[in-house]
């Protein structure tokens, strides 16, 4: 930054002269021509060179050789065991056991075995008086009776509301009828034609004018008669 006390003086830039050097495109053109000629020669060489054909020798038909016969051994069946068979055997075993148990229970049920007679060794039945006090009947109220009372009160309130609503509607209807009657009477009165009375205006008094009469003069349309 320049100092504030010293006035700013821009420095002139040093002038640099551009040195002109000779140039030419001849070398570049020659290089391109040489590459082009080399490419053409390679293509010509590829087109002129063909692979040499060499035929194979004919087979000797006098000596016949058959291929050796391959004797394959037959497939040997090996025993196999499926897990499905194991599960089936276990299930059949359980089923047979269940059937045996069920048959045993049925046989035991069919065999009659009388219980020992122990009644003859017991004491005879003797009725005893109960020690409990007599049952005192208390008043009770059924839920149906309670609901019936509530329903009756509800019906009573509903009937009162219905009566009040009917009274209000009746009063409103009477008011509307009275209003319509008054409106009809008013319209009838307005529709009756009433003639207006004849108006009496102030009499017109004709008075003579105070202005002087106009004195006619001959018009002068020509400039000759003007003074």
């Amino acid at each position: 930054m320049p100092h504030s006390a010293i006035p700013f003086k821009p420095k002139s830039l040093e002038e640099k002269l551009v040195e002109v050097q000779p140039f030419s495109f001849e070398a570049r053109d020659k290089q391109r021509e040489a590459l082009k000629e080399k490419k053409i020669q390679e293509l010509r060489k590829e087109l002129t060179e063909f692979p040499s054909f060499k035929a194979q020798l004919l087979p000797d038909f006098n000596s016949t050789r058959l291929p050796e016969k391959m004797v394959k051994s037959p497939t040997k069946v090996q025993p196999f065991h499926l897990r499905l068979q194991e599960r089936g055997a276990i299930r059949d075993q359980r089923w047979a056991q269940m059937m045996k148990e069920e048959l045993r229970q049925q046989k035991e049920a069919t065999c009659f075995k009388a219980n020992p007679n122990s009644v003859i060794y017991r004491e005879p039945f003797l009725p005893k008086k109960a020690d409990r006090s007599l049952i005192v009947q208390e008043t009770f109220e059924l839920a149906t009776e309670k609901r019936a009372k509530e329903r009756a009160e509800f019906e009573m309130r509903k009937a009162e509301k219905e009566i009040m609503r009917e009274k209000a509607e009746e009063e409103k209807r009477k008011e509307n009828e009275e209003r319509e009657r008054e409106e009809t009477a008013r319209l009838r009165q307005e529709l009756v034609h009433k003639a207006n009375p004849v108006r009496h205006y102030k009499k017109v008094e004709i008075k003579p004018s105070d202005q002087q009469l106009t004195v006619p003069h001959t018009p002068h349309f020509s400039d000759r008669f003007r003074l």
Side-chain angles (χ1 to χ4, degrees), residues 51-134:
S52 59
F53 176 74
K54 294 180 180 181
Q56 296 181 0
L57 298 176
L58 291 172
D60 188 6
F61 295 102
N62 294 326
S63 61
T64 57
R65 293 180 181 180
L66 296 175
E68 295 180 0
K69 186 178 181 181
M70 301 293 295
V71 180
K72 296 183 178 180
S73 59
T75 304
K76 295 180 181 180
V77 180
Q78 295 181 357
F80 59 90
H81 189 67
L82 298 175
R83 295 184 63 186
L84 180 63
Q85 294 179 355
E86 293 180 0
R87 292 197 294 269
I90 293 170
R91 186 179 60 183
D92 293 341
Q93 186 178 0
R94 288 179 180 175
W95 178 257
Q97 189 175 0
M98 288 174 60
M99 291 300 294
K100 288 181 181 179
E101 184 68 23
E102 188 174 353
L103 289 172
R104 186 183 63 80
Q105 291 178 2
Q106 288 180 1
K107 287 181 180 180
E108 290 180 356
T110 53
C111 293
F112 176 75
K113 290 181 181 181
N115 294 324
N117 188 7
S118 60
V119 179
I120 57 177
Y121 303 106
R122 294 178 186 175
E123 295 181 359
F125 173 74
L126 297 175
K128 295 181 180 180
K129 187 178 180 181
D131 299 333
R132 293 183 301 176
S133 59
L134 297 175

Side-chain angles (χ1 to χ4, degrees), residues 141-183:
E141 185 180 4
L142 296 175
T144 53
E145 296 178 356
K146 185 178 180 181
R147 288 197 299 271
K149 290 180 181 179
E150 293 177 355
R151 184 67 185 180
E153 293 177 359
F154 172 75
E155 292 292 340
M156 190 181 296
R157 290 195 298 271
K158 185 177 178 182
E160 291 178 357
K161 289 181 180 179
E162 189 70 21
I163 292 169
M164 292 175 66
R165 185 179 62 80
E166 290 178 359
K167 287 183 179 180
E169 289 180 357
E170 185 68 21
E171 291 178 359
K172 190 174 181 181
R173 186 179 61 79
K174 289 181 179 179
E175 290 178 0
N176 292 335
E177 289 178 357
E178 187 68 25
R179 192 182 302 107
E180 289 177 359
R181 197 180 297 108
E182 292 177 358
E183 187 71 18

Side-chain angles (χ1 to χ4, degrees), residues 11-24:
K11 296 180 180 181
S12 60
L13 300 174
E14 296 180 359
E15 296 181 359
K16 294 182 179 181
L17 300 175
V18 179
E19 297 179 0
V20 180
Q21 296 181 359
F23 64 94
S24 177

